[in-house]
Structures are given as C-alpha cells and as structure tokens.
Amino acid sequence: MKRRTLLGGSIAMAGLGLTSRVFAQQPPLRIGMSMPQTGGLAGGGKASLLGIEIWRDDINAKGGLLGRPVELVFYDDQSNPANIPQIYTKLIGVDKVDLLIGPYATNMVAPAIPVLMQFKKTTIGILANAANSKLHYDQYFSMLPTGPEPQKSFAYGFFELAAGAKPRPRTVAIVAADAEFAQNAAEGARQSIAEIGGFEVVFERNYPPAATDFAPILRAVKALDPDIVFVAAYPPDSVGIIRAANEIGLTPRMFGGAFIGLLVTPIKMQLGPLINGIVNNEVFVPAPAFTFPGTLELLAKYQAIARKEGIDPIGWAFPPLGYAAGQVLAQAVAATESLDHTILAAYMRSHAFSTVVGDITFGKDGEWVKSRVVFTQFQHVTGNSLDQFKDTTHEVVVWPKEYKSGDMIYPYAAAKNP
C-alpha cells in the first residue's frame, strides 16, 4: 500500500497550525479508496488522487472531521477491474476504514458497487459514467457532471452539433472498446441518434480493451466513407486510434466523441497537431463559467505539486472532481455528525453541496440532477507545447450555447488542415 503525505507528517499537520494536543491525540478518521497509479488509467488516477490529498490537507488545516484528523488509505488498482473487489473488501473488512471514496473510472467503479452493496457502504465514484445504471444502488454517488441521462451525455452534444452542420452529415460509424465505459458511451450515441433523428449507423465495431493495432478497424471505416466517426476510448487506445486515423488519412466530416485520453494534458501535448478538428466531450474546462469559489486556489496548489511529481501539469479535468468528492463527504459528515453510511447516503440524496466544481445535487442512481458536460474542438494546435492547453484558445467549447467560447470548424478536414 502506498501512502503519500503532501506537506509532511503522518497526517499533514506540519506548518498548518494543527498542533493542538487534543486534536493530535484523536484517532485519525480514515478514508479508503483505490486509485490507479499504474496502467492505462494512471494519468487520471494520479491527478484525481492528488486532488483528494489536497482536500485532506485543507480539511485538516480547518480541524479535520468530527474533531479528528483525516487520513487516506489507498491502493493502486493498476487500472485493472479484476483488482477492485478484493481492494474494497480489504478496505472495509481488514483496514476497517471509516469512509470511502472512489474508485476512479467507470471500468473500476462498476465492479466495486456489488461489494459496497454487500456491506451497505456509501461511496462517491470519480469520473464514472452510468456505473450504477443497472444496479440502482441508493448509497452510490457519482462525481461526474453527466446529469440524469449519463450514457447520452457523452454523445448528445456531439450529434446535436452534427445535426446543425451544413451540409448535414448523415451516416455514422461507431467504434468502442468492449468495456464498461466505452459501451455506455456507445449506447449513448445510439440513444442520441434515435432522439435527434436523421442519422444512419452504417458501421459498429467493438475492440478488446488490450488492443494496440487500430489500423484494420479504421481502414474498414474508411472503406465505407461515413460522414461521422464516433469513438469511445480510454487513454491508451485514444492515442492509438488518433495516430492510426492520421496514418491512413481518415477524414470524415466529423470525428471524435468520447476520447478519454484527450482529457489528459500530457496526451494532448504528445499528439499535438494530430488532434486538430476532433470534437470531444469534456467534464471540466479552464473557462470562466467553470470557475467557482476555491477552484483556482486548488489548481494553484495542485500545479505546484504536479510539476515536481511529473503528473498532469494543468489538472482541470481531474483534481477538481476529486477535491469536490472530499467536500461532499465532509459536508455530509459535518451536517449529520455521523459516520453511519446509511445516514450519510440519506443526507447526500436530499441536500445540495457547494464545491469547487459548483453546486451539486444528486438524483436518480446518484447522478447529478443537472448535466454540465461540454463538447470542445481542438483548433490551430501547433507543436507540442503546454501553453496551448492552459485555456480554451485551442480547445474551443463549441456546445452547449451557454458555455460556448467559439464555433465548430466544419468539416473535420478544414480544422485538421487549416
């Protein structure tokens, strides 16, 4: 098990004014979780964990929870869903943690929920899409702004943009990993297509999560020449698919969808101009409309540490949501003065929370009552510099209207080769 303390001392007390003998002698309130620190999801997992660690230090600076210092107990799940049940069983049965957060990512959260149900425990999953849509567990909550229709939220804006483009694209290819997240996003694409109307799906292909060669699939797509190529992919396959698409000269009228890899700043920098023209969903972007009390302060702390640790240097997509999960948990504990998971879940279902990602109210299946997912388009990216991704100049918010920072360049080829 890896334990990290950001500011020194077993519970990050040094220099924070937490020298009270009474506070120091209280047993720590332990919060357990798994977070991928290795494997394909490590980029988002490391950034999310750092956001939670900063929250821990901030809450300890204010006196902890219920007068007790907060301590994190976390394990590296290695980006492997098969590791999740044993980790959460250990956290609950062996480590006997007081509270839970996580896991991170849909593919990891889905196998955790049955364990939570068995022990009647509450958690806040980090960036998990529709993970509770089948089990409907009332003690699960989602820290992802996908709203009451989580599957559709990862695709609806994409197809609404397509419906408004001229000439209007008609034919669609859907490419997705054969895993929980990607299948949810692909189902969201089908739901969006059915609701908006006027599209025909001419190609659908699932690939194994461990796939590395995407050229054969994309050549099959290119042979059909669809107007739209919608992709649902985790970070490693995001890179492979985008590189393969460029290598074979795939130029549909619209290209993108749910490339989770493009939420990770180092991957954006790695691909550079290859991402021009891609329309992709984002959950939290560096724009004024996404700046709330505490957001910039958190990011300043995060970025100072991230530079030293060599992780995502900007951190808009992940750390704020990790930090907000801690805030929700803390507000529920403070209001109820309880660590009883059933009591906490009841409170979380019936109250609003003020966080660094805005005000949150949870609805059905623990999803947010209101969606705040946006779609962006990469435009005029040159080279591989970090500065291009510090704001929305080169990753323009194109949907919905209330958050727009620019217009979509259409067709894809016009943005890809300006």
PDB file of all heavy atoms in Angstrom, residues 337-360:
ATOM      1  N   GLU A 337     -23.198  14.789  11.733  1.00  0.00           N
ATOM      2  CA  GLU A 337     -22.351  14.402  12.867  1.00  0.00           C
ATOM      3  C   GLU A 337     -22.311  12.883  13.016  1.00  0.00           C
ATOM      4  O   GLU A 337     -22.387  12.331  14.108  1.00  0.00           O
ATOM      5  CB  GLU A 337     -22.841  15.067  14.164  1.00  0.00           C
ATOM      6  CG  GLU A 337     -22.776  16.580  14.127  1.00  0.00           C
ATOM      7  CD  GLU A 337     -23.172  17.224  15.437  1.00  0.00           C
ATOM      8  OE1 GLU A 337     -23.812  16.539  16.266  1.00  0.00           O
ATOM      9  OE2 GLU A 337     -22.827  18.401  15.646  1.00  0.00           O
ATOM     10  N   SER A 338     -22.182  12.225  11.868  1.00  0.00           N
ATOM     11  CA  SER A 338     -22.256  10.758  11.855  1.00  0.00           C
ATOM     12  C   SER A 338     -21.273  10.181  10.852  1.00  0.00           C
ATOM     13  O   SER A 338     -20.916  10.822   9.860  1.00  0.00           O
ATOM     14  CB  SER A 338     -23.672  10.323  11.481  1.00  0.00           C
ATOM     15  OG  SER A 338     -23.752   8.905  11.356  1.00  0.00           O
ATOM     16  N   LEU A 339     -20.850   8.952  11.121  1.00  0.00           N
ATOM     17  CA  LEU A 339     -20.073   8.168  10.172  1.00  0.00           C
ATOM     18  C   LEU A 339     -20.860   6.948   9.700  1.00  0.00           C
ATOM     19  O   LEU A 339     -20.312   6.069   9.041  1.00  0.00           O
ATOM     20  CB  LEU A 339     -18.746   7.717  10.801  1.00  0.00           C
ATOM     21  CG  LEU A 339     -17.776   8.838  11.203  1.00  0.00           C
ATOM     22  CD1 LEU A 339     -16.555   8.257  11.894  1.00  0.00           C
ATOM     23  CD2 LEU A 339     -17.361   9.652   9.978  1.00  0.00           C
ATOM     24  N   ASP A 340     -22.142   6.921  10.041  1.00  0.00           N
ATOM     25  CA  ASP A 340     -23.010   5.833   9.604  1.00  0.00           C
ATOM     26  C   ASP A 340     -23.290   6.001   8.106  1.00  0.00           C
ATOM     27  O   ASP A 340     -23.837   7.016   7.671  1.00  0.00           O
ATOM     28  CB  ASP A 340     -24.315   5.869  10.395  1.00  0.00           C
ATOM     29  CG  ASP A 340     -25.230   4.705  10.040  1.00  0.00           C
ATOM     30  OD1 ASP A 340     -25.753   4.689   8.905  1.00  0.00           O
ATOM     31  OD2 ASP A 340     -25.429   3.837  10.895  1.00  0.00           O
ATOM     32  N   HIS A 341     -22.928   5.002   7.315  1.00  0.00           N
ATOM     33  CA  HIS A 341     -23.017   5.120   5.862  1.00  0.00           C
ATOM     34  C   HIS A 341     -24.453   5.293   5.373  1.00  0.00           C
ATOM     35  O   HIS A 341     -24.694   5.985   4.380  1.00  0.00           O
ATOM     36  CB  HIS A 341     -22.359   3.908   5.209  1.00  0.00           C
ATOM     37  CG  HIS A 341     -20.866   3.955   5.236  1.00  0.00           C
ATOM     38  ND1 HIS A 341     -20.086   3.827   4.123  1.00  0.00           N
ATOM     39  CD2 HIS A 341     -19.994   4.152   6.273  1.00  0.00           C
ATOM     40  CE1 HIS A 341     -18.805   3.913   4.444  1.00  0.00           C
ATOM     41  NE2 HIS A 341     -18.730   4.106   5.751  1.00  0.00           N
ATOM     42  N   THR A 342     -25.390   4.661   6.027  1.00  0.00           N
ATOM     43  CA  THR A 342     -26.793   4.789   5.622  1.00  0.00           C
ATOM     44  C   THR A 342     -27.303   6.208   5.884  1.00  0.00           C
ATOM     45  O   THR A 342     -28.002   6.797   5.049  1.00  0.00           O
ATOM     46  CB  THR A 342     -27.665   3.774   6.373  1.00  0.00           C
ATOM     47  OG1 THR A 342     -27.160   2.457   6.134  1.00  0.00           O
ATOM     48  CG2 THR A 342     -29.107   3.845   5.897  1.00  0.00           C
ATOM     49  N   ILE A 343     -26.939   6.764   7.021  1.00  0.00           N
ATOM     50  CA  ILE A 343     -27.341   8.132   7.360  1.00  0.00           C
ATOM     51  C   ILE A 343     -26.704   9.127   6.390  1.00  0.00           C
ATOM     52  O   ILE A 343     -27.358  10.067   5.908  1.00  0.00           O
ATOM     53  CB  ILE A 343     -26.953   8.453   8.820  1.00  0.00           C
ATOM     54  CG1 ILE A 343     -27.811   7.628   9.778  1.00  0.00           C
ATOM     55  CG2 ILE A 343     -27.095   9.944   9.107  1.00  0.00           C
ATOM     56  CD1 ILE A 343     -27.390   7.733  11.232  1.00  0.00           C
ATOM     57  N   LEU A 344     -25.430   8.926   6.094  1.00  0.00           N
ATOM     58  CA  LEU A 344     -24.737   9.819   5.170  1.00  0.00           C
ATOM     59  C   LEU A 344     -25.371   9.770   3.783  1.00  0.00           C
ATOM     60  O   LEU A 344     -25.567  10.805   3.140  1.00  0.00           O
ATOM     61  CB  LEU A 344     -23.256   9.444   5.087  1.00  0.00           C
ATOM     62  CG  LEU A 344     -22.424   9.715   6.339  1.00  0.00           C
ATOM     63  CD1 LEU A 344     -21.034   9.109   6.201  1.00  0.00           C
ATOM     64  CD2 LEU A 344     -22.330  11.210   6.614  1.00  0.00           C
ATOM     65  N   ALA A 345     -25.693   8.570   3.303  1.00  0.00           N
ATOM     66  CA  ALA A 345     -26.305   8.442   1.984  1.00  0.00           C
ATOM     67  C   ALA A 345     -27.657   9.138   1.929  1.00  0.00           C
ATOM     68  O   ALA A 345     -27.988   9.806   0.934  1.00  0.00           O
ATOM     69  CB  ALA A 345     -26.444   6.965   1.604  1.00  0.00           C
ATOM     70  N   ALA A 346     -28.441   8.989   2.977  1.00  0.00           N
ATOM     71  CA  ALA A 346     -29.750   9.646   3.015  1.00  0.00           C
ATOM     72  C   ALA A 346     -29.596  11.161   2.949  1.00  0.00           C
ATOM     73  O   ALA A 346     -30.369  11.852   2.265  1.00  0.00           O
ATOM     74  CB  ALA A 346     -30.504   9.234   4.282  1.00  0.00           C
ATOM     75  N   TYR A 347     -28.603  11.690   3.647  1.00  0.00           N
ATOM     76  CA  TYR A 347     -28.361  13.125   3.628  1.00  0.00           C
ATOM     77  C   TYR A 347     -27.906  13.566   2.225  1.00  0.00           C
ATOM     78  O   TYR A 347     -28.366  14.594   1.701  1.00  0.00           O
ATOM     79  CB  TYR A 347     -27.297  13.504   4.658  1.00  0.00           C
ATOM     80  CG  TYR A 347     -27.066  14.994   4.745  1.00  0.00           C
ATOM     81  CD1 TYR A 347     -27.833  15.795   5.586  1.00  0.00           C
ATOM     82  CD2 TYR A 347     -26.083  15.614   3.969  1.00  0.00           C
ATOM     83  CE1 TYR A 347     -27.633  17.169   5.650  1.00  0.00           C
ATOM     84  CE2 TYR A 347     -25.875  16.979   4.022  1.00  0.00           C
ATOM     85  CZ  TYR A 347     -26.658  17.751   4.861  1.00  0.00           C
ATOM     86  OH  TYR A 347     -26.465  19.122   4.914  1.00  0.00           O
ATOM     87  N   MET A 348     -27.024  12.793   1.621  1.00  0.00           N
ATOM     88  CA  MET A 348     -26.492  13.163   0.310  1.00  0.00           C
ATOM     89  C   MET A 348     -27.566  13.126  -0.778  1.00  0.00           C
ATOM     90  O   MET A 348     -27.524  13.901  -1.734  1.00  0.00           O
ATOM     91  CB  MET A 348     -25.318  12.233  -0.043  1.00  0.00           C
ATOM     92  CG  MET A 348     -24.101  12.491   0.844  1.00  0.00           C
ATOM     93  SD  MET A 348     -22.902  11.137   0.881  1.00  0.00           S
ATOM     94  CE  MET A 348     -22.287  11.157  -0.787  1.00  0.00           C
ATOM     95  N   ARG A 349     -28.534  12.244  -0.610  1.00  0.00           N
ATOM     96  CA  ARG A 349     -29.633  12.185  -1.593  1.00  0.00           C
ATOM     97  C   ARG A 349     -30.579  13.372  -1.478  1.00  0.00           C
ATOM     98  O   ARG A 349     -31.307  13.675  -2.429  1.00  0.00           O
ATOM     99  CB  ARG A 349     -30.440  10.891  -1.403  1.00  0.00           C
ATOM    100  CG  ARG A 349     -29.734   9.626  -1.869  1.00  0.00           C
ATOM    101  CD  ARG A 349     -30.721   8.459  -1.986  1.00  0.00           C
ATOM    102  NE  ARG A 349     -31.385   8.174  -0.729  1.00  0.00           N
ATOM    103  CZ  ARG A 349     -30.934   7.331   0.197  1.00  0.00           C
ATOM    104  NH1 ARG A 349     -29.783   6.697  -0.009  1.00  0.00           N
ATOM    105  NH2 ARG A 349     -31.597   7.109   1.314  1.00  0.00           N
ATOM    106  N   SER A 350     -30.581  14.056  -0.356  1.00  0.00           N
ATOM    107  CA  SER A 350     -31.620  15.060  -0.091  1.00  0.00           C
ATOM    108  C   SER A 350     -31.102  16.482   0.114  1.00  0.00           C
ATOM    109  O   SER A 350     -31.887  17.377   0.446  1.00  0.00           O
ATOM    110  CB  SER A 350     -32.426  14.649   1.150  1.00  0.00           C
ATOM    111  OG  SER A 350     -31.577  14.476   2.275  1.00  0.00           O
ATOM    112  N   HIS A 351     -29.804  16.693  -0.102  1.00  0.00           N
ATOM    113  CA  HIS A 351     -29.255  18.030   0.119  1.00  0.00           C
ATOM    114  C   HIS A 351     -28.329  18.445  -1.023  1.00  0.00           C
ATOM    115  O   HIS A 351     -27.798  17.604  -1.747  1.00  0.00           O
ATOM    116  CB  HIS A 351     -28.484  18.077   1.444  1.00  0.00           C
ATOM    117  CG  HIS A 351     -29.362  18.001   2.651  1.00  0.00           C
ATOM    118  ND1 HIS A 351     -29.916  16.812   3.097  1.00  0.00           N
ATOM    119  CD2 HIS A 351     -29.806  18.959   3.500  1.00  0.00           C
ATOM    120  CE1 HIS A 351     -30.653  17.044   4.170  1.00  0.00           C
ATOM    121  NE2 HIS A 351     -30.599  18.338   4.435  1.00  0.00           N
ATOM    122  N   ALA A 352     -28.152  19.761  -1.154  1.00  0.00           N
ATOM    123  CA  ALA A 352     -27.227  20.320  -2.140  1.00  0.00           C
ATOM    124  C   ALA A 352     -25.870  20.546  -1.485  1.00  0.00           C
ATOM    125  O   ALA A 352     -25.767  20.731  -0.266  1.00  0.00           O
ATOM    126  CB  ALA A 352     -27.774  21.624  -2.693  1.00  0.00           C
ATOM    127  N   PHE A 353     -24.821  20.552  -2.311  1.00  0.00           N
ATOM    128  CA  PHE A 353     -23.463  20.694  -1.814  1.00  0.00           C
ATOM    129  C   PHE A 353     -22.736  21.778  -2.601  1.00  0.00           C
ATOM    130  O   PHE A 353     -22.857  21.849  -3.835  1.00  0.00           O
ATOM    131  CB  PHE A 353     -22.713  19.360  -1.942  1.00  0.00           C
ATOM    132  CG  PHE A 353     -23.319  18.262  -1.116  1.00  0.00           C
ATOM    133  CD1 PHE A 353     -24.358  17.485  -1.623  1.00  0.00           C
ATOM    134  CD2 PHE A 353     -22.892  18.034   0.185  1.00  0.00           C
ATOM    135  CE1 PHE A 353     -24.949  16.489  -0.853  1.00  0.00           C
ATOM    136  CE2 PHE A 353     -23.470  17.034   0.960  1.00  0.00           C
ATOM    137  CZ  PHE A 353     -24.502  16.271   0.439  1.00  0.00           C
ATOM    138  N   SER A 354     -21.986  22.585  -1.895  1.00  0.00           N
ATOM    139  CA  SER A 354     -21.184  23.639  -2.514  1.00  0.00           C
ATOM    140  C   SER A 354     -19.753  23.148  -2.652  1.00  0.00           C
ATOM    141  O   SER A 354     -19.119  22.777  -1.654  1.00  0.00           O
ATOM    142  CB  SER A 354     -21.236  24.901  -1.659  1.00  0.00           C
ATOM    143  OG  SER A 354     -20.431  25.915  -2.227  1.00  0.00           O
ATOM    144  N   THR A 355     -19.231  23.132  -3.878  1.00  0.00           N
ATOM    145  CA  THR A 355     -17.911  22.553  -4.126  1.00  0.00           C
ATOM    146  C   THR A 355     -17.113  23.415  -5.108  1.00  0.00           C
ATOM    147  O   THR A 355     -17.621  24.359  -5.682  1.00  0.00           O
ATOM    148  CB  THR A 355     -18.027  21.133  -4.722  1.00  0.00           C
ATOM    149  OG1 THR A 355     -18.339  21.222  -6.118  1.00  0.00           O
ATOM    150  CG2 THR A 355     -19.084  20.302  -4.011  1.00  0.00           C
ATOM    151  N   VAL A 356     -15.867  23.013  -5.326  1.00  0.00           N
ATOM    152  CA  VAL A 356     -15.005  23.718  -6.280  1.00  0.00           C
ATOM    153  C   VAL A 356     -15.421  23.471  -7.724  1.00  0.00           C
ATOM    154  O   VAL A 356     -14.898  24.115  -8.637  1.00  0.00           O
ATOM    155  CB  VAL A 356     -13.524  23.328  -6.102  1.00  0.00           C
ATOM    156  CG1 VAL A 356     -12.987  23.792  -4.764  1.00  0.00           C
ATOM    157  CG2 VAL A 356     -13.313  21.828  -6.297  1.00  0.00           C
ATOM    158  N   VAL A 357     -16.343  22.549  -7.961  1.00  0.00           N
ATOM    159  CA  VAL A 357     -16.880  22.356  -9.312  1.00  0.00           C
ATOM    160  C   VAL A 357     -18.316  22.871  -9.399  1.00  0.00           C
ATOM    161  O   VAL A 357     -19.056  22.529 -10.314  1.00  0.00           O
ATOM    162  CB  VAL A 357     -16.800  20.883  -9.775  1.00  0.00           C
ATOM    163  CG1 VAL A 357     -15.346  20.441  -9.879  1.00  0.00           C
ATOM    164  CG2 VAL A 357     -17.582  19.952  -8.852  1.00  0.00           C
ATOM    165  N   GLY A 358     -18.710  23.706  -8.448  1.00  0.00           N
ATOM    166  CA  GLY A 358     -20.047  24.286  -8.449  1.00  0.00           C
ATOM    167  C   GLY A 358     -20.979  23.576  -7.485  1.00  0.00           C
ATOM    168  O   GLY A 358     -20.580  22.649  -6.771  1.00  0.00           O
ATOM    169  N   ASP A 359     -22.216  24.020  -7.471  1.00  0.00           N
ATOM    170  CA  ASP A 359     -23.213  23.408  -6.599  1.00  0.00           C
ATOM    171  C   ASP A 359     -23.681  22.088  -7.200  1.00  0.00           C
ATOM    172  O   ASP A 359     -23.947  22.001  -8.404  1.00  0.00           O
ATOM    173  CB  ASP A 359     -24.410  24.343  -6.418  1.00  0.00           C
ATOM    174  CG  ASP A 359     -24.046  25.570  -5.593  1.00  0.00           C
ATOM    175  OD1 ASP A 359     -23.031  25.524  -4.873  1.00  0.00           O
ATOM    176  OD2 ASP A 359     -24.770  26.576  -5.681  1.00  0.00           O
ATOM    177  N   ILE A 360     -23.788  21.072  -6.356  1.00  0.00           N
ATOM    178  CA  ILE A 360     -24.150  19.723  -6.805  1.00  0.00           C
ATOM    179  C   ILE A 360     -25.368  19.242  -6.040  1.00  0.00           C
ATOM    180  O   ILE A 360     -25.435  19.359  -4.811  1.00  0.00           O
ATOM    181  CB  ILE A 360     -22.992  18.730  -6.568  1.00  0.00           C
ATOM    182  CG1 ILE A 360     -21.738  19.152  -7.342  1.00  0.00           C
ATOM    183  CG2 ILE A 360     -23.406  17.307  -6.962  1.00  0.00           C
ATOM    184  CD1 ILE A 360     -20.507  18.340  -6.970  1.00  0.00           C
TER     185      ILE A 360
END
